[in-house]
Amino acid sequence: TMPSIFSYQSAEVDWCEGNFERSTVIAEYYNTVNGTTLFSFLLLTPLNFLVLEGAALLTQVSFAFLAGVFSMYFHMTLSYVGQLLDELSILWTLAVAYSFWYPRVYFPRCIKSRKHFFWLSGVTTVISTLMSFIKPAFNAYALNCIAFHLLYLTWRELKKCNDKRVHRMAAVMVVWWVLAISSWISDRWLCGLWQAINFPYFHSFWHVLIAMSLLYCCPLVIYFDVNYEMPSFKPKLGYWPSDSWPVVVPYIALEEPHKQC
């Protein structure tokens, strides 16, 4: 008989970490615990998004919050439903981010307004959601491929920008992303090796590293968005609590330029 879609270990994907080794309730202990890095990330993102409209902030944080919850649920149960909720919450979080902050200059020629782009993003996301049920094991690979488009957009924007702080922040973001995707691929493709040396925890590293990459990605998105949507302000990158600290939170400050008489 077919297992229940809510049953433990009914998912198509099982990560390298051993199941139920440290808890009788949590299937992948470290993957679940490190999923809380998404919550830590959520506490920091509003520092950047507060410069934008409230609806965008509330919607984005709400979807990101669900992504964190569903990631923990999936790794705790390894259920089929948990897998789909985890992957689809990420898909919809990305869709919301694209809808609100994708630069107008890159809109397809047939799109004349942000409202039309909302509809395009919505229809594309609904179709992608339906297709994700066909072979859920491929979903994670497809979602990771979206990062290449984001890196391409970042490269396009950096070509127009002369601020060395922006280029440095983009470089740090890419370094964290490379470390994250390397950990993800290692966990999927070299699992036998890591289990042989009793260190099958690279997917849990992925959670931490991708959160760090996003921590630098968000200020960049805001920086470019302000340049396009709020031309009367000059965005400036900063670090809290101080540039000199070894561990910092990047953020965007808005400076209103002096008007010429």
Side-chain angles (χ1 to χ4, degrees):
T1 59
M2 291 292 292
S4 169
I5 58 176
F6 292 95
S7 299
Y8 272 65
Q9 297 180 280
S10 58
E12 289 189 352
V13 175
D14 190 354
W15 300 97
C16 195
E17 182 182 351
N19 299 330
F20 302 106
E21 290 184 347
R22 289 168 176 80
S23 172
T24 58
V25 177
I26 300 174
E28 296 176 340
Y29 182 82
Y30 288 109
N31 286 344
T32 303
V33 170
N34 280 351
T36 58
T37 55
L38 294 174
F39 289 105
S40 301
F41 167 68
L42 286 173
L43 296 176
L44 302 175
T45 47
L47 294 176
N48 291 300
F49 286 108
L50 283 175
V51 301
L52 303 175
E53 58 183 284
L57 168 65
L58 180 61
T59 304
Q60 185 67 68
V61 171
S62 296
F63 273 92
F65 177 81
L66 289 176
V69 171
F70 291 147
S71 175
M72 293 176 63
Y73 173 70
F74 168 49
H75 289 295
M76 184 179 73
T77 64
L78 291 178
S79 65
Y80 180 81
V81 167
Q83 178 186 350
L84 288 177
L85 288 175
D86 179 33
E87 294 164 349
L88 293 180
S89 63
I90 295 173
L91 172 64
W92 280 85
T93 300
L94 289 170
V96 170
Y98 267 77
S99 298
F100 281 116
W101 297 299
Y102 191 73
R104 296 174 189 266
V105 68
Y106 299 125
F107 282 3
R109 292 183 179 181
C110 60
I111 301 299
K112 304 302 181 183
S113 68
R114 178 69 63 178
K115 182 178 180 181
H116 291 163
F117 188 73
F118 281 165
W119 280 102
L120 175 63
S121 300
V123 170
T124 302
T125 305
V126 169
I127 294 173
S128 300
T129 298
L130 296 175
M131 292 179 63
S132 67
F133 287 88
I134 298 175
K135 187 63 177 175
F138 291 153
N139 294 344
Y141 291 95
L143 290 171
N144 275 309
C145 286
I146 297 176
F148 291 103
H149 183 244
L150 294 174
L151 292 173
Y152 169 73
L153 290 176
T154 302
W155 173 74
R156 290 281 300 271
E157 289 299 314
L158 290 176
K159 289 175 65 177
K160 309 174 189 177
C161 177
N162 296 320
D163 191 331
K164 292 182 179 180
R165 291 171 68 90
V166 176
H167 283 258
R168 186 165 61 249
M169 183 172 288
V172 174
M173 177 195 72
V174 171
V175 168
W176 284 117
W177 177 79
V178 169
L179 291 173
I181 196 64
S182 299
S183 296
W184 191 91
I185 292 173
S186 294
D187 190 90
R188 289 241 48 86
W189 296 357
L190 301 175
C191 180
L193 171 63
W194 307 131
Q195 288 182 338
I197 63 175
N198 197 30
F199 196 80
Y201 306 119
F202 278 89
H203 190 77
S204 65
F205 292 167
W206 149 264
H207 285 165
V208 177
L209 295 169
I210 198 63
M212 292 300 300
S213 181
L214 290 171
L215 188 62
Y216 285 85
C217 178
C218 285
L220 286 175
V221 171
I222 303 305
Y223 182 92
F224 298 136
D225 184 77
V226 170
N227 281 332
Y228 283 116
E229 304 295 336
M230 305 171 67
S232 62
F233 289 89
K234 181 181 178 181
K236 180 181 178 180
L237 290 175
Y239 297 93
W240 180 88
S242 171
D243 288 21
S244 61
W245 282 48
V247 179
V248 295
V249 178
Y251 68 92
I252 296 294
L254 297 184
E255 296 182 349
E256 188 171 7
H258 295 292
K259 297 182 179 179
Q260 299 294 331
C261 295

